[in-house]
Amino acid sequence: ISKYYVQVSSGINAEYGGTRLFISRYTALIERQNAENIEDPSPDVLRQAVINCRQHEAFLKVLLNDVVVATDQVNSLERDLRSVLIQLQNTIQSKTAVPTNQVYPKFISLAKIWTGFQDEMVLLSVISNIQANLEPFTKSHKEVLPDTLLQPLLTGLILRTDDERIAETSGLTERVEHAPHFKNLEFLFPETTRNFSQLPLQYKGFCGYSIAVHDRLLIPGNPLIGVLRYKDHFFCFTSKEAAVKFAADPDRFIAHIADAAKRSPELIQLLELHMQFSTITPYGKSAEPGHMIEKPLTKRDSGIQTEVHPIESHIDPDYEWNEWEMRRKAVKLANLRTRITHSVQTDLSNFRRNNASQVYLPRGKETQTKREKGTSVPKPSVFIAGLRGCKTSTTEAYKVDLTLDVNTHNDICD
């Protein structure tokens, strides 16, 4: 794994050196165009190429840092592996049987170390894939500005890398210590500032004066010249003159840089201009990786509905709001503590008790005989004849008894 990391690190370093070479070429051509007022090749194309190379350089720096951290982690895992193997060898030696409580913890440590090596292999694969995926984005400026076009233009030009530019302006004479004093401004130096190397430099350490005056030209500033502190922001510059001119009117140069970022939106992420573009969130804080999403809106229309009586009503009949009434009751209760309760029972108090009694209700009783017997009587039937239909002048009525005895009646019914 260490050998693979060395190979990946060598490849990234080689690509990083090539990118810095392109940056020095394009920067020298832009400086020549600014000095001699030449527009061949297109100044905008050169500036876009510099921005593209600076982006590639920033990504390669991140990959190199990851490789360094991963290499240290691999070395630490190798040391732990050797230590655990030595402990296992001392524990087992030539024994035919070893207690599990002595061997198992060491095997568990070996498993954890092996898992760590696998994670580092995955990280190595991810870094290699990222490096390969970055290559197509670097071909655009190579196709637009091929070597056949650049070689005649670079004749006679001195190519300076970023380190060489910083070394040229690191002398004491280049400092702005003797520059005129500006109101509400302060220049910081390593001798007078604690943790000077850890100051959060604005524009990722690039010179703000060069970005504003030379139209998006990205050149790293030299903090040793003096770091300008303005509104709790820290700016570094490429020269003493640039620092003095920027300090004369910082707001104007900051506005020019914002306008330049509007023409080249990729500068917003590269220079971390999120404070000036509040609707854009930093790339590392975006919800979806691979998208520079807009900052979500914090205002929107909303509605809410509540219950008529969200809290249940509770009426306490013994509630008393008057403090003096409460004191009166308290005094009354206090007086009761000194009183004795007496009870007397009289002859009539017996009738004041609640009495209850229980009785047995009468029960229903039926009897049944062994045989059933009944009697029937004749039904009397009388007919009075002679009341109608008589031809005589006088009515003669007589009574006819039609009553039948019981036996005759039963025979007729049968």
Side-chain angles (χ1 to χ4, degrees):
I1 297 178
S2 300
K3 294 180 181 179
Y4 291 151
Y5 270 107
V6 171
Q7 294 177 2
V8 173
S9 178
S10 301
I12 296 176
N13 281 318
E15 192 170 353
Y16 181 74
T19 301
R20 300 192 71 176
L21 178 61
F22 281 112
I23 292 173
S24 61
R25 288 180 179 181
Y26 298 148
T27 304
L29 289 175
I30 293 174
E31 290 177 342
R32 180 180 180 181
Q33 287 181 346
N34 293 335
E36 302 178 4
N37 197 14
I38 301 174
E39 295 185 358
D40 185 29
S42 174
D44 188 68
V45 173
L46 284 175
R47 284 165 173 78
Q48 292 293 342
V50 171
I51 295 173
N52 182 268
C53 291
R54 290 296 184 184
Q55 288 179 309
H56 190 220
E57 180 188 24
F59 280 116
L60 292 178
K61 285 182 179 179
V62 174
L63 292 180
L64 283 174
N65 292 332
D66 291 341
V67 169
V68 171
V69 174
T71 302
D72 295 339
Q73 181 66 20
V74 169
N75 294 334
S76 176
L77 290 174
E78 289 179 350
R79 290 192 297 268
D80 295 341
L81 178 62
R82 294 192 190 97
S83 176
V84 173
L85 290 177
I86 292 173
Q87 293 177 9
L88 272 175
Q89 185 178 4
N90 295 333
T91 302
I92 298 175
Q93 294 180 356
S94 59
K95 299 177 182 179
T96 57
V98 182
T100 57
N101 57 357
Q102 298 180 7
V103 179
Y104 277 9
K106 296 181 175 53
F107 280 117
I108 293 174
S109 300
L110 278 178
K112 292 181 180 179
I113 295 173
W114 179 256
T115 304
F117 279 121
Q118 288 182 332
D119 295 338
E120 297 304 323
M121 287 295 296
V122 173
L123 179 59
L124 176 62
S125 176
V126 171
I127 293 175
S128 301
N129 292 334
I130 293 176
Q131 182 185 0
N133 293 331
L134 287 176
E135 185 177 359
F137 296 96
T138 62
K139 292 182 178 179
S140 58
H141 67 90
K142 297 177 183 178
E143 296 174 355
V144 177
L145 300 171
D147 291 339
T148 56
L149 177 64
L150 294 180
Q151 289 299 334
L153 300 175
L154 294 173
T155 304
L157 291 180
I158 299 176
L159 303 181
R160 295 179 298 173
T161 62
D162 295 338
D163 296 334
E164 293 174 350
R165 291 176 182 273
I166 293 175
E168 292 176 359
T169 58
S170 296
L172 296 177
T173 58
E174 295 293 333
R175 291 191 174 186
V176 293
E177 292 177 334
H178 303 290
H181 178 71
F182 297 99
K183 186 178 181 181
N184 298 329
L185 298 179
E186 181 184 3
F187 282 95
L188 307 178
F189 301 96
E191 298 83 5
T192 60
T193 305
R194 182 179 297 178
N195 298 328
F196 180 80
S197 60
Q198 299 179 1
L199 291 176
L201 299 178
Q202 197 73 359
Y203 309 131
K204 294 296 291 290
F206 292 105
C207 177
Y209 180 82
S210 300
I211 299 173
V213 175
H214 300 300
D215 191 15
R216 298 165 291 168
L217 179 58
L218 302 179
I219 302 178
N222 186 3
L224 298 179
I225 296 174
V227 175
L228 175 63
R229 181 177 181 179
Y230 178 70
K231 294 182 179 179
D232 293 332
H233 296 294
F234 303 93
F235 304 87
C236 61
F237 307 96
T238 57
S239 63
K240 176 180 177 179
E241 293 77 11
V244 172
K245 292 179 180 179
F246 188 93
D249 192 0
D251 293 329
R252 180 170 63 89
F253 288 98
I254 293 173
H256 287 330
I257 295 173
D259 294 337
K262 293 177 182 178
R263 284 178 285 143
S264 298
E266 59 271 16
L267 292 177
I268 298 176
Q269 295 291 342
L270 180 60
L271 304 181
E272 295 182 353
L273 301 177
H274 309 104
M275 297 300 295
Q276 300 182 25
F277 298 90
S278 58
T279 58
I280 301 297
T281 56
Y283 183 83
K285 298 180 181 179
S286 58
E288 298 180 3
H291 295 79
M292 187 178 67
I293 64 173
E294 294 185 357
K295 189 176 181 180
L297 298 176
T298 57
K299 297 181 180 179
R300 62 180 60 187
D301 295 334
S302 62
I304 187 171
Q305 184 177 2
T306 60
E307 299 179 3
V308 179
H309 299 291
I311 301 177
E312 297 182 359
S313 60
H314 176 70
I315 299 176
D316 187 2
D318 298 330
Y319 174 76
E320 184 62 54
W321 63 271
N322 191 345
E323 181 180 356
W324 294 102
E325 181 65 21
M326 297 175 64
R327 291 187 177 186
R328 188 187 67 80
K329 292 182 178 180
V331 171
K332 183 179 179 181
L333 293 175
N335 292 335
L336 288 177
R337 297 181 60 186
T338 61
R339 302 296 186 268
I340 301 177
T341 302
H342 298 277
S343 61
V344 178
Q345 184 176 5
T346 62
D347 294 336
L348 297 178
S349 62
N350 182 46
F351 297 100
R352 297 177 183 176
R353 295 182 303 173
N354 295 325
N355 297 326
S357 61
Q358 184 177 6
V359 299
Y360 291 98
L361 297 177
R363 59 179 181 177
K365 188 176 182 181
E366 296 180 355
T367 57
Q368 184 178 3
T369 60
K370 294 182 179 181
R371 59 180 180 178
E372 295 180 359
K373 187 176 182 181
T375 59
S376 59
V377 296
K379 183 178 180 180
S381 177
V382 178
F383 179 77
I384 299 175
L387 296 177
R388 292 189 308 174
C390 297
K391 297 181 180 180
T392 59
S393 57
T394 60
T395 301
E396 294 180 359
Y398 54 94
K399 181 178 179 182
V400 179
D401 186 10
L402 299 179
T403 302
L404 299 177
D405 56 352
V406 176
N407 295 330
T408 306
H409 182 269
N410 291 335
D411 294 338
I412 294 174
C413 292
D414 293 336

